[in-house]
C-alpha cells in the first residue's frame, strides 16, 4: 500500500490522520467550553455513547480492513469517521438552533462537513478502511447525532428544566461517565505506547 504513494504524500497523510482526532477533540472541547451548560454535557455524553456504539458495531460486524498489515482489528465502522461526523453534525445543529439558518451558519456547516470529509477520506487513502466502510460510518455518526440532539430537544431539555433531580443526574452521571471514558482511552493509549514498554522493562 505504501509503495503506491510518494513518501512525502504518505507521510503528510499519516500526520493529518493522526492529528484528526485532536482537531475533533479541540473543536468539540471548544464547543463545550463555549456552551458550558447542560447541552454541552449532553453532547459530551453523546460523543462517548457514539464511540461505544462504534466499538460494539465493530465486534458484531467483524468486517475486515482492506489491508490487514496496516492496522489490526475490524474495519467496520470507522471509529474516526463516525466520531468526526457525530461531532460536526451535533455542532452544526446546535449553532443553527442558536443562530438560525443564515449565511454564516451555512458557511460554517459547509466548512465543517468539508473538514470532516477530508479526515474521513484519509482513512481510505491510507488503507485503514474501504470507501463503503467510511461512508457507512459517516451515516451512522450523523444519524446518531441527529437522534441525540432530537432527544435533547424533545425530552431531556424539558425534564431538565422541570425536575432538579434530572439536573443532578445529568451533571453527576454525565461527568462520571465522561471522566471514566477519558481514563479508559488514556490507559489504552499508554498501555500500547513505547514509553510504557520502557518503564515496564526497567521495573523488571
Amino acid at each position: 500500500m505504501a509503495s503506491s504513494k510518494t513518501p512525502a504524500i504518505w507521510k503528510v497523510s499519516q500526520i493529518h490522520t493522526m492529528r484528526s482526532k485532536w482537531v475533533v477533540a479541540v473543536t468539540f472541547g471548544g464547543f463545550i467550553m463555549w456552551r458550558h451548560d447542560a447541552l454541552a454535557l449532553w453532547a459530551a455524553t453523546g460523543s462517548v455513547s457514539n464511540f461505544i456504539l462504534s466499538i460494539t458495531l465493530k465486534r458484531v460486524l467483524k468486517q475486515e480492513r482492506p489491508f490487514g498489515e496496516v492496522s489490526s482489528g475490524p474495519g467496520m465502522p470507522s471509529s474516526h469517521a463516525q466520531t468526526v461526523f457525530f461531532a460536526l453534525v451535533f455542532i452544526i445543529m446546535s449553532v443553527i438552533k442558536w443562530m438560525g439558518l443564515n449565511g454564516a451558519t451555512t458557511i460554517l456547516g459547509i466548512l465543517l462537513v468539508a473538514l470532516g470529509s477530508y479526515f474521513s477520506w484519509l482513512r481510505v487513502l491510507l488503507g485503514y478502511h474501504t470507501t463503503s466502510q467510511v461512508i457507512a460510518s459517516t451515516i451512522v455518526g450523523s444519524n446518531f447525532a441527529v437522534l441525540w440532539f432530537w432527544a435533547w430537544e424533545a425530552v431531556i431539555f424539558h425534564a431538565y428544566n422541570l425536575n432538579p433531580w434530572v439536573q443532578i443526574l445529568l451533571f453527576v452521571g454525565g461527568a462520571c461517565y465522561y471522566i471514566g471514558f477519558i481514563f479508559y482511552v488514556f490507559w489504552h493509549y499508554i498501555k500500547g505506547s513505547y514509553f510504557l514498554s520502557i518503564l515496564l522493562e526497567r521495573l523488571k
Side-chain angles (χ1 to χ4, degrees), residues 61-73:
L61 298 176
K62 297 180 180 179
Q63 189 176 111
E64 294 183 355
R65 296 176 184 268
F67 300 94
E69 67 275 9
V70 174
S71 180
S72 60

Side-chain angles (χ1 to χ4, degrees), residues 127-139:
Y128 288 104
H129 302 282
T130 64
T131 301
S132 59
Q133 287 173 348
V134 167
I135 292 176
S137 304
T138 61
I139 293 173

Side-chain angles (χ1 to χ4, degrees), residues 3-74:
S3 60
S4 64
K5 307 288 187 300
T6 63
I9 294 176
W10 185 257
K11 185 175 182 180
V12 170
S13 299
Q14 283 185 316
I15 292 174
H16 284 183
T17 194
M18 286 187 297
R19 290 180 177 177
S20 63
K21 63 183 69 176
W22 298 112
V23 172
V24 174
V26 170
T27 302
F28 211 50
F31 169 77
I32 292 172
M33 292 181 65
W34 166 60
R35 295 284 313 195
H36 59 272
D37 58 5
L39 176 60
L41 186 58
W42 180 250
T45 305
S47 179
V48 175
S49 300
N50 177 65
F51 181 80
I52 293 174
L53 173 63
S54 175
I55 299 302
T56 302
L57 290 175
K58 281 180 182 288
R59 294 179 178 178
V60 171
L61 298 176
K62 297 180 180 179
Q63 189 176 111
E64 294 183 355
R65 296 176 184 268
F67 300 94
E69 67 275 9
V70 174
S71 180
S72 60

Side-chain angles (χ1 to χ4, degrees), residues 16-191:
H16 284 183
T17 194
M18 286 187 297
R19 290 180 177 177
S20 63
K21 63 183 69 176
W22 298 112
V23 172
V24 174
V26 170
T27 302
F28 211 50
F31 169 77
I32 292 172
M33 292 181 65
W34 166 60
R35 295 284 313 195
H36 59 272
D37 58 5
L39 176 60
L41 186 58
W42 180 250
T45 305
S47 179
V48 175
S49 300
N50 177 65
F51 181 80
I52 293 174
L53 173 63
S54 175
I55 299 302
T56 302
L57 290 175
K58 281 180 182 288
R59 294 179 178 178
V60 171
L61 298 176
K62 297 180 180 179
Q63 189 176 111
E64 294 183 355
R65 296 176 184 268
F67 300 94
E69 67 275 9
V70 174
S71 180
S72 60
M76 173 69 91
S78 164
S79 297
H80 273 76
Q82 187 172 327
T83 300
V84 166
F85 271 81
F86 171 86
L88 69 86
V89 169
F90 196 95
I91 291 174
I92 290 171
M93 294 183 70
S94 301
V95 173
I96 291 176
K97 176 69 177 179
W98 176 53
M99 299 179 61
L101 184 59
N102 51 49
T105 55
T106 300
I107 293 174
L108 174 64
I110 292 174
L111 289 176
L112 287 177
V113 171
L115 184 63
S117 299
Y118 169 70
F119 283 136
S120 299
W121 168 76
L122 286 179
R123 307 300 291 176
V124 178
L125 177 67
L126 296 174
Y128 288 104
H129 302 282
T130 64
T131 301
S132 59
Q133 287 173 348
V134 167
I135 292 176
S137 304
T138 61
I139 293 173
V140 172
S142 300
N143 285 332
F144 193 77
V146 171
L147 290 174
W148 201 256
F149 189 82
W150 173 85
W152 168 260
E153 289 290 315
V155 181
I156 305 300
F157 177 73
H158 301 288
Y160 178 84
N161 288 329
L162 293 175
N163 194 330
W165 286 106
V166 174
Q167 300 176 16
I168 295 174
L169 179 63
L170 179 61
F171 274 98
V172 176
C176 293
Y177 185 51
Y178 196 62
I179 292 173
F181 173 74
I182 291 175
F183 274 104
Y184 169 82
V185 172
F186 182 73
W187 168 247
H188 277 263
Y189 173 77
I190 294 297
K191 188 168 65 173

